[in-house]
Amino acid sequence: MARGPSKRQQRIAMAFDALCAAIARALGAAEGARESAVRAHAEAMVEMWLREEGLDAAEIDPGLRRIVANPELARPVKRVDFDRKTAFREWLATGPRRLTQILAEAAPDAAGGDPDEWLGQVGKIDGMGPVPSLWTIGTGRIGGAEPRFPVAVPLLDESHLQISSTHDSRGRAESLVENLLLRVMSSFRPGVVQLHVWDVGRFTGSLPGLYPLTRTGLLTVHDPAMLDELLEELSDRIRRVHTRVLVDGHPSLRAMAETSGGRTEPWIVAVLLGNRSALKDAEHRQLQRVARDGPACGVQLVLLDVPMTVNAPIETVRLGDSGFGTSSMTGPHVTVEPDPPLPPAEVTRAAHAIADEHERWRSRIGTFADLLPSREKWGEARSISGLHAPVGFTDGLPAEVALADASPHALIGGPSGSGKTNLLLTMISSMAARYGPDELEFYLLDFKEGVSFAQFAPGRRDRTWLPHARLIGVNINTDREFGLALLQFLSDEMRRRAEAAKAYEVTKLEELRREDPKGRWPRIVAVIDEFQYLFAERDAVTRQATLLLEDVARRGRSQGIHLVLASQDVSGIEAFWGRPAIFEQFVLRIALPRARRVLAELNDATLGLPRWHAVINHESGITHGNEVVRIPDATGKGSVDEVQHVLHETYAQGRPEPRLFDGTRSPRLAELLAVLSAGDEPRALVGQCIDVAGSAAAIGLPDAPGRNLGVLASGVREAVQVLGAAAASLAGQHARDTIDVVLAPLIAEALAPAERLAMRVAGAGQRVETVRLDGFRARVEALAQEVSERLAGTASRHPVALVLYAADAAETALDRAGTEALRKILHFGPETGVHVLGWWRSPARLKALLMMGASPDDLGAWVALDVQGSEVQPLVPGMFVTWSPRPGRGLLFDRAQHTQPEVVIVPSLEER
C-alpha cells in the first residue's frame, strides 16, 4: 500500500523550497560570471545545506534530487503560492535599477534629457515592458559562508511585505523600507506608483527623506489617528477598480495589462509603521480585507511592526537586535543583511528629482493619440461585461470612463465653452477604436444648432463615416419629437432583447451573449447633447419622454443599453422634479469647469477647475469619487477624423451607412419613395415621419368612405409642396395609364406649381387634366355625375384624383348646385375610387363646406401647416389638439392609423 511522505520528508521539501529560491536569485544576479563559477557556487550552497541538515542526497524527493544533481534547474523556480507550494514560471531577467542610476541621471547636466531615456525601459508602463516582480532588499548567505547573493521580495501585483523588528533594529528596518520604496519609485515613470505613509507614533510620519514627493502628490502622509480613513480610501479604490476597470472578466490589473498591452491604473503602496501593538478589531478586519483583495487591484501593503495574520500573499522579513534577520523568500537557513542606509542627503536629492520630473510630466499635454490603443489592438476589446475607454489623463496616466452594470449611464455637464463637445468626441472615438461595430453601436443626437456629430456621417467632402454609428441627429432643437422617437426605439429594443433573453432563460445581455454566441447583440450607447431641450415644454412630448427615459434608465443596464446625457445646466429641468430615480441611475458623472448640479450637492470640485479639465466621478457625484482629468484636444486634424478613416477602411464594407437626420433639411420626394414600403394600395406621400427609421408619412386611399386628404395652410409654398408630393407619389405608384389626375389651380399663385406637377404626372405615364377657375364648376358637376353613375354601377371605377389648389377660392365660382356637387364628391367619391386632395387656406372655410351634405369624417386625413391647433380642433371632435406652427413641419392626422396627430417634415419637390 502506497504511503504519503513522512513529516521529515515534508520538512526537507519545505526547506529545500527556500533553498531553491536562494539559488535562483544567486544565479539570476551572477551576470558576467562564467558558467562554471555559477555552477560551483550553487553546488557549494547545496552541499552546505545538506551538511547542516545532516541529510544525504538519497533522502531527498526524486524531483528535488534532479535539482541537487543539476543546480541550474533551480533557475526558473519562483514561489508564487504562499501555502509553501512551489510553481514554475519564467524568470524575469530584468530587475529594478539601483539608486546610483537615478542619482547620476538626476544631476543638473542631465536634467534636460528625454524623460523616456531618464525613465529607462524597465517597467515603462506605456508599453508594459518587463515590469519587475522582485525587488532586492539586501544580501544573504548560508551560515557564515561566502559569497553572498542578492535577496529579493515580490511586491507590485504579487505580494505584501511584513517586516518585524526589535527596538534596536527599528532604525535598520525603516532604512530597509526607505531603500525599497526609492527603488520602486525610481524604476517607473513618476506617477505610476503612489505612496501612502501612516505612522502611529509620528504626526509628520517617518521616512523624511521621501518628503519631497509630497509636493506633487506622489506621497501622502496620513494622520496617526486616522488609520480608518486610509483603510477606507484603499477599500474604495479596490471597489472602484473592480466595478470600473475589471469589467471584461479579467482577474487582475496585471492580467488585463497583459491582454490589452497597457495599464491605466497606478500602483498604490501603503506603508504602515506600527509599534508592535495589536490594532483595534475593526482596523484589523478592514486591513485584512485590503490585504486579501489589494494585489489584484494594484494595492500593496508594506507593514512595519504591524502584527497581522491574513489569508493573503504576504512575504515576511524578521530583523533581530543585530540588524540581520531572515525572510520568507529565503527560509530560516539564510541570514539576510539589509542594504545599508543610504545617505540622507542623497535620498532627499533623489526624491526631489522624481518630484521635479513628475511636475514636468504632468505639465506635458497628453495628446488625443495617446488615448488610443496600439493600431494592432484596434477593435479587439469585447463588450460582454461593459465598455471602458480612456478620455483623458491623470498624472500622465490615461483616465477611463466605464459604462457597465455598476455605472450604466453617464451625465455630463458644463457651460458653453467648457469643452463638452470635445469631451463627447473624445469618448466616442476612444470607444470606437477599442470595440468593433459588432460590439458597440452609437445613436448620436445634438439638440443645439451645431453639426458636431455630423462628421460621423458621409459628407460632401469626406465620404467616410463611422461604422459604429447607426443614427446621427443634428440641429434638432425644434424637433423634440425626434428625441422622443429615439427613447421609444431604445425602449422597443430593450423589450426585444428581454424577450430573446427570456427565450434562453437568462436575464442579462452578458448571459444572453454567452448562450447565443452567433447572435448579434452589441452594446448600445445613446449620446444626447443638450438633452434639456427634450424636456423644455409642459406638454405631451415631455410627459412621454420622461416616462420613457425613466424606463430605459432603470432597465437598460441589464440589456446593454447605455445613456449619455449632456447639458449646459441640469438644475432647471422641471420634468425631473420629484423623480430622483432617474438621476440615481446616472452613476457616472462628468463635470466640466463651472458645471452646476452634475455632481452631488456638496461637491464643488468644478469651481476651481482649469480649462481642458473635467471631474470624472463613478460614485454618483459624491466627493470621494472625484478624479480630476485633463482632456486632450480631439477637434484638430488627424485626431477624430483619422480614427474615422481607419475604422471606415476596416469595417465599412458591407455595412449600411448611418442615418443622418438634419433638422434644417427637407427630405426629397425621391428619397421618401425609396423608403416607402410596399402596401396593398398606392399611398399619398405627405412628408417624413420624425422617427429613428426615417419612415415616409403616407396616406392610404382605398375605395372606402372618407379617404380624402386635406392640406390646411394660409401660405402657398409649403402647401403646394405637400399637395404636389401627395399627387405625384400617387401617380408614380400606379401602373401607367391607370389613374386620372385632375388639377384645379384656383388662384394665380398655384398656376406654376400646378404646371410642374402636370409634367411630373405625365412623365409617370398617367392622364392629367388641368382645370382653371372659369371651367371649375362644369368639371366638378361632371365629376359628381360620374360618382352617381359609379354608385349605380353604370360607370367604370378607375381611380381619379381631384387636386384642388386653394379649394376655398371655389366659392366665387360655384353656385349652390356646384357646391353641392363638390360636397357629393367628398362624401361619396372615395368609395367609388374618386378622391379629393385639397388645399384649404382656412380651416373655417373647410368646416363650412363640410357642415351641409358632408361631415368631418369625410376628410379622413389632413395635414395642418401654418395654422394653430385650436383652428383644426373641429375636425377631430372630442380630441384636444396642441399644435404651434413651425417652419418645415406639419401636423398629420389620419383617422385610419392615428389615435393622436403626429408631427411630420414637409417634403421638397426639388431635385438634387
Side-chain angles (χ1 to χ4, degrees):
M1 184 180 208
R3 301 181 62 183
S6 66
K7 291 184 177 180
R8 177 177 175 79
Q9 289 175 321
Q10 293 177 14
R11 184 177 64 82
I12 292 172
M14 292 168 58
F16 197 79
D17 179 13
L19 176 66
C20 287
I23 294 173
R25 280 136 189 81
L27 294 174
E31 295 182 7
R34 290 182 303 175
E35 183 178 352
S36 59
V38 173
R39 183 179 297 277
H41 178 205
E43 290 175 347
M45 291 174 62
V46 172
E47 291 174 1
M48 184 180 301
W49 176 73
L50 292 172
R51 189 166 52 251
E52 288 186 354
E53 289 291 324
L55 299 174
D56 187 278
E59 292 186 74
I60 304 175
D61 176 86
L64 300 180
R65 233 181 356 252
R66 289 196 300 272
I67 297 178
V68 174
N70 182 8
E72 183 66 16
L73 293 177
R75 184 176 180 83
V77 175
K78 179 173 182 288
R79 293 186 61 248
V80 294
D81 189 289
F82 296 87
D83 293 328
R84 288 297 181 183
K85 296 179 182 178
T86 59
F88 292 89
R89 59 184 291 184
E90 183 180 358
W91 180 268
L92 293 179
T94 307
R97 297 181 299 159
R98 294 289 181 176
L99 177 65
T100 52
Q101 290 177 266
I102 186 173
L103 291 176
E105 293 164 345
D109 59 347
D114 184 353
D116 287 338
E117 294 178 0
W118 186 86
L119 295 169
Q121 294 302 311
V122 175
K124 183 181 178 185
I125 196 158
D126 290 341
M128 281 307 293
V131 175
S133 292
L134 293 171
W135 305 85
T136 57
I137 59 172
T139 59
R141 55 184 175 177
I142 299 179
E146 295 289 348
R148 300 183 182 185
F149 51 88
V151 174
V153 293
L155 193 61
L156 303 183
D157 293 331
E158 292 283 347
S159 173
H160 308 293
L161 177 60
Q162 186 177 44
I163 305 170
S164 60
S165 68
T166 65
H167 181 273
D168 292 337
S169 61
R170 173 66 179 230
R172 192 68 181 270
E174 291 183 0
S175 297
L176 185 156
V177 173
E178 184 177 70
N179 291 358
L180 176 63
L181 295 180
L182 200 52
R183 283 176 179 147
V184 171
M185 297 298 289
S186 65
S187 296
F188 295 93
R189 186 182 72 212
V192 171
V193 180
Q194 299 173 7
L195 304 179
H196 292 259
V197 174
W198 173 84
D199 189 342
V200 70
R202 303 181 188 180
F203 279 102
T204 58
S206 298
L207 315 176
L210 301 180
Y211 274 19
L213 300 176
T214 61
R215 61 183 168 90
T216 62
L218 292 176
L219 171 63
T220 303
V221 179
H222 294 265
D223 190 313
M226 299 295 182
L227 177 59
D228 55 341
E229 291 189 1
L230 169 59
L231 297 178
E232 185 60 34
E233 182 178 339
L234 298 176
S235 299
D236 287 341
R237 178 172 186 82
I238 292 170
R239 282 193 294 268
R240 184 183 65 81
V241 170
H242 274 295
T243 57
R244 275 187 48 199
V245 184
L246 302 177
V247 294
D248 288 337
H250 293 101
S252 67
L253 291 176
R254 167 161 284 186
M256 189 179 77
E258 291 172 350
T259 300
S260 63
R263 187 180 181 116
T264 60
E265 295 293 320
W267 282 283
I268 304 297
V269 179
V271 183
L272 277 59
L273 297 100
N275 56 7
R276 293 176 289 278
S277 61
L279 299 175
K280 298 177 182 177
D281 289 344
E283 295 172 339
H284 190 267
R285 288 192 296 270
Q286 182 77 320
L287 190 58
Q288 285 181 319
R289 287 193 289 267
V290 170
R292 183 171 57 251
D293 301 324
C297 301
V299 176
Q300 271 72 38
L301 299 174
V302 176
L303 309 176
L304 175 54
D305 293 333
V306 178
M308 186 184 72
T309 56
V310 295
N311 182 21
I314 186 166
E315 293 293 341
T316 59
V317 175
R318 295 179 175 84
L319 299 182
D321 290 338
S322 64
F324 296 174
T326 59
S327 76
S328 56
M329 286 295 291
T330 53
H333 304 284
V334 175
T335 299
V336 176
E337 180 180 357
D339 287 335
L342 298 167
E346 299 301 316
V347 173
T348 302
R349 188 156 67 91
H352 273 298
I354 295 173
D356 291 342
E357 179 58 26
H358 190 213
E359 285 186 341
R360 285 193 292 270
W361 180 264
R362 291 197 302 184
S363 66
R364 295 173 61 186
I365 300 175
T367 66
F368 173 82
D370 295 330
L371 293 177
L372 304 178
S374 57
R375 188 62 60 89
E376 63 272 10
K377 295 286 186 180
W378 283 35
E380 288 192 357
R382 296 293 171 260
S383 64
I384 296 175
S385 301
L387 302 163
H388 56 91
V391 297
F393 301 91
T394 300
D395 287 333
L397 284 175
E400 289 189 343
V401 295
L403 293 174
D405 277 359
S407 52
H409 311 297
L411 181 65
I412 301 174
S416 178
S418 61
K420 178 163 54 66
T421 299
N422 182 69
L423 171 64
L424 291 174
L425 294 177
T426 302
M427 179 187 298
I428 293 167
S429 302
S430 181
M431 286 186 175
R434 280 163 174 74
Y435 302 92
D438 291 329
E439 297 288 328
L440 168 64
E441 288 184 349
F442 284 114
Y443 291 76
L444 310 172
L445 267 62
D446 188 354
F447 271 97
K448 68 178 182 294
E449 296 181 4
V451 291
S452 302
F453 295 152
Q455 61 187 293
F456 295 122
R460 293 181 180 178
R461 295 183 179 179
D462 185 357
R463 296 303 301 169
T464 67
W465 39 275
L466 184 66
H468 303 67
R470 303 310 322 130
L471 175 70
I472 300 170
V474 296
N475 296 315
I476 56 175
N477 53 309
T478 59
D479 288 313
R480 298 165 55 237
E481 295 84 1
F482 192 70
L484 178 62
L486 173 61
L487 292 178
Q488 184 63 61
F489 167 80
L490 296 177
S491 179
D492 294 341
E493 176 65 16
M494 189 169 59
R495 188 175 301 108
R496 184 181 76 88
R497 294 183 173 204
E499 291 174 355
K502 184 178 181 181
Y504 282 96
E505 298 182 347
V506 297
T507 59
K508 299 170 57 178
L509 180 73
E510 183 176 354
E511 299 166 341
L512 175 60
R513 289 185 58 166
R514 283 198 298 264
E515 295 297 323
D516 182 25
K518 294 184 179 180
R520 187 178 182 278
W521 304 106
R523 287 190 179 267
I524 291 176
V525 176
V527 182
I528 307 178
D529 194 10
E530 301 300 347
F531 76 99
Q532 75 276 5
Y533 280 99
L534 181 56
F535 306 94
E537 305 291 339
R538 296 182 179 180
D539 59 7
V541 172
T542 292
R543 290 192 296 272
Q544 295 175 45
T546 303
L547 293 174
L548 287 171
L549 178 64
E550 185 171 3
D551 184 39
V552 175
R554 284 179 179 275
R555 300 194 295 124
R557 73 170 71 203
S558 61
Q559 304 305 333
I561 296 176
H562 307 280
L563 298 171
V564 177
L565 304 185
S567 173
Q568 293 187 23
D569 186 5
V570 301
S571 60
I573 302 177
E574 294 184 17
F576 298 154
W577 292 356
R579 290 181 177 270
I582 293 181
F583 278 149
E584 286 176 359
Q585 305 300 322
F586 288 79
V587 177
L588 172 56
R589 310 287 179 90
I590 304 178
L592 294 151
R594 306 182 309 283
R596 298 175 56 204
R597 300 293 294 274
V598 178
L599 303 176
E601 187 173 355
L602 299 179
N603 190 347
D604 57 358
T606 65
L607 297 182
L609 205 61
R611 193 167 181 264
W612 296 104
H613 285 72
V615 174
I616 297 181
N617 188 302
H618 286 79
E619 303 290 341
S620 300
I622 58 179
T623 304
H624 79 260
N626 288 348
E627 183 179 10
V628 178
V629 175
R630 195 187 193 316
I631 310 297
D633 183 9
T635 60
K637 188 173 180 59
S639 51
V640 173
D641 58 335
E642 179 62 21
V643 171
Q644 178 167 308
H645 290 161
V646 174
L647 293 174
H648 183 269
E649 182 179 350
T650 305
Y651 297 111
Q653 187 174 4
R655 296 180 184 273
E657 296 181 1
R659 188 210 162 193
L660 175 63
F661 177 92
D662 187 345
T664 63
R665 180 181 175 276
S666 298
R668 290 175 170 79
L669 179 61
E671 297 171 349
L672 295 176
L673 285 171
V675 300
L676 185 65
S677 58
D680 294 333
E681 74 285 331
R683 290 180 287 169
L685 279 168
V686 296
Q688 185 181 59
C689 298
I690 301 181
D691 61 8
V692 169
S695 308
I699 304 301
L701 297 177
D703 292 349
R707 300 316 297 166
N708 298 305
L709 170 65
V711 179
L712 310 174
S714 60
V716 177
R717 188 179 65 86
E718 291 185 348
V720 299
Q721 287 181 201
V722 174
L723 198 62
S729 60
L730 277 178
Q733 293 174 73
H734 278 83
R736 296 177 64 87
D737 201 25
T738 58
I739 182 173
D740 292 344
V741 180
V742 180
L743 306 180
L746 304 181
I747 59 175
E749 296 90 336
L751 292 177
E755 183 178 351
R756 290 191 294 269
L757 178 58
M759 295 176 63
R760 282 180 178 269
V761 173
Q766 309 298 353
R767 296 185 296 272
V768 61
E769 174 188 357
T770 301
V771 180
R772 302 293 180 91
L773 184 61
D774 54 1
F776 181 62
R777 186 183 69 176
R779 187 67 181 90
V780 167
E781 289 177 350
L783 188 56
Q785 178 62 34
E786 183 179 342
V787 169
S788 298
E789 293 172 357
R790 292 187 179 202
L791 288 172
T794 60
S796 65
R797 298 172 66 93
H798 67 274
V800 175
L802 175 60
V803 182
L804 305 179
Y805 288 86
D808 51 284
E811 294 181 8
T812 60
L814 297 178
D815 55 13
R816 182 173 181 178
T819 302
E820 289 299 329
L822 181 57
R823 287 172 176 160
K824 184 175 185 179
I825 295 172
L826 281 168
H827 188 69
F828 294 107
E831 59 187 286
T832 67
V834 178
H835 305 277
V836 174
L837 284 67
W839 159 38
W840 280 266
R841 294 174 295 176
S842 167
R845 292 185 179 183
L846 172 62
K847 178 183 177 182
L849 176 67
L850 298 176
M851 283 181 62
M852 299 181 62
S855 72
D857 291 342
D858 291 327
L859 198 65
W862 49 261
V863 180
L865 299 172
D866 58 350
V867 297
Q868 296 293 331
S870 58
E871 297 183 68
V872 297
Q873 189 75 60
L875 299 178
V876 282
M879 185 183 301
F880 183 69
V881 179
T882 58
W883 165 248
S884 296
R886 57 186 195 256
R889 302 296 182 265
L891 189 68
L892 169 65
F893 180 69
D894 184 351
R895 299 178 189 278
Q897 58 179 322
H898 295 145
T899 58
Q900 293 286 336
E902 69 173 41
V903 181
V904 297
I905 305 174
V906 174
S908 171
L909 298 180
E910 298 177 359
E911 301 294 341
R912 285 190 180 274

